[in-house]
Amino acid sequence: MKKHQTYGASTNAVRTYSDGLKQRRPLSVPILQSVNFEAESTAKLGKDFRAGASEVYMRFGHPTAQAAGEKIALLEGAEGGLVFSSGMGAISTTLLALAGSSGGHVIAQREIFAQTFTFLDTTFRGLNIETTFVPADQILHIRPLLRPTTKLIYIESPSNPLLKIADIAAIARIAKEHNIPLLIDSTFASPALQNPISLGADVVLHSATKFLAGHSDVLCGAVVGSRQLIQKIQRMQVLLGTILDPHACWLLLRGIKTLGVRVREQSTSALALAQFLNEQAVVERVTYPFLQSGGSYKIASRQMRAGGGVVSFELKGGLPAAQKFVDALKLISTATSLGGVESVIEIPADLDFSEEDLGDAAKTTGIALGLIRLSVGIEDVADLMADIRQALASVASEGTQADKSLALTR
Ligand SMILES: *Cc1c(COP(=O)(O)O)cnc(C)c1O
């Protein structure tokens, strides 16, 4: 540090001289809220700048983001990791970095996060990058669809909101055969339940807003992968300015400390609620990766440690019944997003479909108009079950007395 005793008050007011923290080893990563860092010389600044050091300029990288990125890479078993200002920041930056040149081609699972689909279907298409969308149940038959220009394969498992399960290891084998990177949005599993890198995926993406941060108080995203791919993605992150700010990094790091216990509890409660819903006569269909009667249990139980915190279901009576049910809930909040400690519920079609083409949208996305997505928090499961039971009862009784099949089984 340069000498400071001889400077005036205005100079001292804008200068920080404490070297104290460097001698300490805080158990909580400090928020390093500095946009730039002083270098010993112009030569050193130039060297650090070119090397992409994390103590140069905040948009290029900064120590709190580095700590968060390394933490998630560690949890995923990856060489490197980056954190972003949102899940979509992570996804758009990664797609642009790995497939963002005109004439390229992408293969993507059809059942993916709605805005990821829009990005590929409109933004990428506008840049002359074509995406072939493949339904999850056809994703192992993509060999004939691969082209010399195919830049990446993109999947999401479990998918939002249909909870489709992709056989990650099997798709990774196809990707490896053709030397094409496999990207997976693993938001719904979080690193606590699934580690796609160990199954052969090349890049794992997260909306860290959800389970990783876990407290519905910070918007963030993450990407992990090999050092080489992460470097490429980081160069695009610098251009787009999608890095996560230090305060948000700190909230993310703080949330991650309890990831394991939260997700275990959420999974246990979600399984109990899925089983309960599955027994109700008023319920048409329940989807949950670890429901043994479900079609995806075999693959899900092979690649996930538990089923996660999200349950999707439909009621007999479709959208009107779904709306009645959701509005009758007293404890579970009607809100979007998921993965937080509070239970929230939404009807995805209400959010993602425009009023004009509801029917078409339901057909092309496979998302029924009355589909309900429940994200289970860490409240007492008995309270959640009681809330669901009373709301189901109000659906069954209201205006449907004639239909005996809608009566609750208990
Ligand atoms: C929420 C979500 C995203 C987008 O993340 P944001 O943090 O909201 O930008 C992407 N993928 C999945 C699966 C999600 O659930």
Side-chain angles (χ1 to χ4, degrees):
M1 279 293 152
K2 290 168 186 168
K3 275 210 189 79
H4 51 92
Q5 284 91 342
T6 56
Y7 295 134
S10 296
T11 305
N12 279 333
V14 297
R15 293 280 163 175
T16 302
Y17 300 103
S18 173
D19 264 334
L21 257 182
K22 288 196 179 136
Q23 324 306 329
R24 304 262 150 75
R25 299 173 64 189
L27 285 179
S28 167
V29 172
I31 301 171
L32 228 156
Q33 188 76 36
S34 184
V35 162
N36 46 5
F37 291 81
E38 187 179 67
E40 285 137 36
S41 65
T42 179
K44 177 78 164 53
L45 182 61
K47 189 163 165 265
D48 285 352
F49 189 101
R50 286 190 302 274
S54 72
E55 300 193 0
V56 178
Y57 183 62
M58 196 186 278
R59 177 160 46 77
F60 305 165
H62 57 86
T64 323
Q66 191 175 2
E70 283 171 3
K71 173 71 75 182
I72 297 168
L74 180 71
L75 296 178
E76 286 287 21
E79 283 177 8
L82 298 167
V83 287
F84 294 80
S85 48
S86 70
M88 277 315 295
I91 292 164
S92 57
T93 303
T94 300
L95 287 171
L96 281 165
L98 303 185
S101 53
S102 173
H105 175 243
V106 168
I107 294 205
Q109 182 182 317
R110 177 60 188 86
E111 302 87 346
I112 49 176
F113 182 63
Q115 279 137 35
T116 307
F117 176 83
T118 303
F119 186 81
L120 289 167
D121 195 44
T122 60
T123 310
F124 255 31
R125 217 173 281 290
L127 296 170
N128 191 33
I129 303 156
E130 197 189 333
T131 302
T132 306
F133 292 100
V134 182
D137 57 10
Q138 304 284 311
I139 199 87
L140 292 181
H141 308 293
I142 54 172
R143 280 190 187 87
L145 304 173
L146 295 169
R147 305 176 190 173
T149 52
T150 305
K151 294 291 193 326
L152 57 89
I153 300 169
Y154 188 100
I155 60 173
E156 182 175 306
S157 186
S159 76
N160 182 0
L162 290 169
L163 303 169
K164 295 280 181 189
I165 301 293
D167 186 338
I168 302 167
I171 302 165
R173 278 194 293 275
I174 300 171
K176 286 255 166 358
E177 258 171 44
H178 296 85
N179 218 3
I180 298 170
L182 173 65
L183 280 63
I184 173 170
D185 183 335
S186 191
T187 297
F188 271 42
S190 90
L193 300 184
Q194 165 176 293
N195 302 114
I197 297 282
S198 71
L199 299 167
D202 297 286
V203 174
V204 182
L205 303 112
H206 288 282
S207 167
T209 312
K210 316 291 171 54
F211 292 98
L212 272 164
H215 292 74
S216 319
D217 53 12
V218 59
L219 195 64
C220 46
V223 175
V224 306
S226 67
R227 216 175 303 284
Q228 190 207 347
L229 287 175
I230 288 298
Q231 253 172 24
K232 209 165 164 182
I233 297 163
Q234 200 235 339
R235 285 197 287 273
M236 185 59 71
Q237 183 183 49
V238 168
L239 296 180
L240 297 179
T242 45
I243 196 167
L244 190 62
D245 87 271
H247 270 89
C249 287
W250 186 86
L251 283 168
L252 170 57
L253 280 163
R254 173 165 154 137
I256 287 173
K257 291 184 183 194
T258 56
L259 175 70
V261 286
R262 278 187 287 110
V263 172
R264 264 198 299 282
E265 180 76 7
Q266 285 168 303
S267 297
T268 303
S269 297
L271 177 60
L273 294 174
Q275 284 165 341
F276 169 74
L277 285 163
N278 208 26
E279 289 160 5
Q280 307 308 313
V282 72
V283 175
E284 175 74 34
R285 184 179 297 114
V286 181
T287 309
Y288 184 71
F290 268 46
L291 212 50
Q292 291 203 20
S293 55
S296 52
Y297 178 72
K298 209 175 118 203
I299 299 168
S301 59
R302 204 163 61 210
Q303 63 192 25
M304 296 172 72
R305 290 180 273 277
V310 180
V311 182
S312 292
F313 57 102
E314 287 167 59
L315 303 182
K316 289 180 180 142
L319 183 60
Q323 284 167 337
K324 221 174 272 171
F325 167 76
V326 170
D327 287 341
L329 290 164
K330 297 189 168 106
L331 171 64
I332 299 169
S333 303
T334 306
T336 190
S337 197
L338 55 103
V341 290
E342 321 81 0
S343 297
V344 296
I345 199 158
E346 71 164 42
I347 298 173
D350 279 351
L351 283 79
D352 291 333
F353 298 173
S354 67
E355 303 259 347
E356 306 86 69
D357 60 12
L358 277 178
D360 283 352
K363 236 173 270 151
T364 56
T365 60
I367 298 169
L369 294 181
L371 185 82
I372 300 166
R373 187 188 74 191
L374 169 65
S375 173
V376 180
I378 59 168
E379 301 94 340
D380 291 293
V381 68
D383 291 333
L384 297 173
M385 202 171 291
D387 195 27
I388 289 172
R389 183 181 281 131
Q390 66 80 23
L392 285 177
S394 78
V395 172
S397 64
E398 210 178 297
T400 51
Q401 276 94 344
D403 187 351
K404 289 268 172 15
S405 72
L406 292 183
L408 284 175
T409 53
R410 63 167 123 147

